[in-house]
Each structure stands twice: as C-alpha cells, then as structure tokens.
Amino acid sequence: ILLAVLTLSVGSQPITDSQRLFTMAVSRVQHLHVLAQRYFGNFENSLGSEEKRQLNKIFLQDFCNSDYIISPIDKHETQRSS
C-alpha cells in the first residue's frame, strides 16, 4: 500500500531513472520476502512433529529478524544506512 501511495504521489512529478530503479528494487525485495516466507512455511508443514520440535530449538517460534529492522523511507536514507 505504501508503495502505491508513493507511486501516486510521485506520479505528478517526472520520475528519474534512479527513482524508478529504487521503486523496482523495493518491489522485488518485498516479493522475495513473501516467497521466502511461503517456502519456509511449506517446509515447516512437511516436517514431522519430532522434526518440528528440533527446528523450534534452533529457531525461536514467531520470531523474524526483519520485524526489528527499521526500513529506510527514501533513497537518501538507504544510501546513508549502507
């Protein structure tokens, strides 16, 4: 939703190549994150109960590192953080 709002607000201004590339990169990263979640969910569902217990010992249940990473809001903040 945020990406759509940004795209609409920038729609009235000419989009530079760097803005377009940044928007495409954000979209692709979001897509890859969703795919990774889906693949990991399928993997977890294919495990037996003992295997799930072993996996839970390695990874804390309901914990995702990306929940605690503050995402940059624009390209300048992204460049500064990298």
Side-chain angles (χ1 to χ4, degrees):
I1 295 173
L2 178 61
L3 187 60
V5 170
L6 288 173
T7 304
L8 289 175
S9 66
V10 176
S12 61
Q13 303 170 356
I15 297 177
T16 64
D17 284 340
S18 61
Q19 288 173 324
R20 184 177 55 79
L21 290 174
F22 180 77
T23 303
M24 288 173 48
V26 168
S27 176
R28 289 182 182 181
V29 167
Q30 289 172 336
H31 178 70
L32 289 173
H33 184 72
V34 169
L35 283 176
Q37 285 179 319
R38 189 177 306 152
Y39 284 130
F40 191 74
N42 290 341
F43 169 71
E44 282 184 316
N45 291 336
S46 71
L47 297 175
S49 59
E50 181 59 32
E51 292 167 324
K52 283 183 182 181
R53 268 187 250 132
Q54 293 296 325
L55 187 64
N56 286 337
K57 288 180 184 178
I58 298 170
F59 299 106
L60 297 174
Q61 190 73 10
D62 296 325
F63 178 77
C64 180
N65 287 329
S66 65
D67 291 341
Y68 302 100
I69 297 173
I70 299 171
S71 300
I73 57 172
D74 59 12
K75 74 174 186 176
H76 300 294
E77 190 172 315
T78 302
Q79 290 170 345
R80 191 173 348 136
S81 67
S82 51

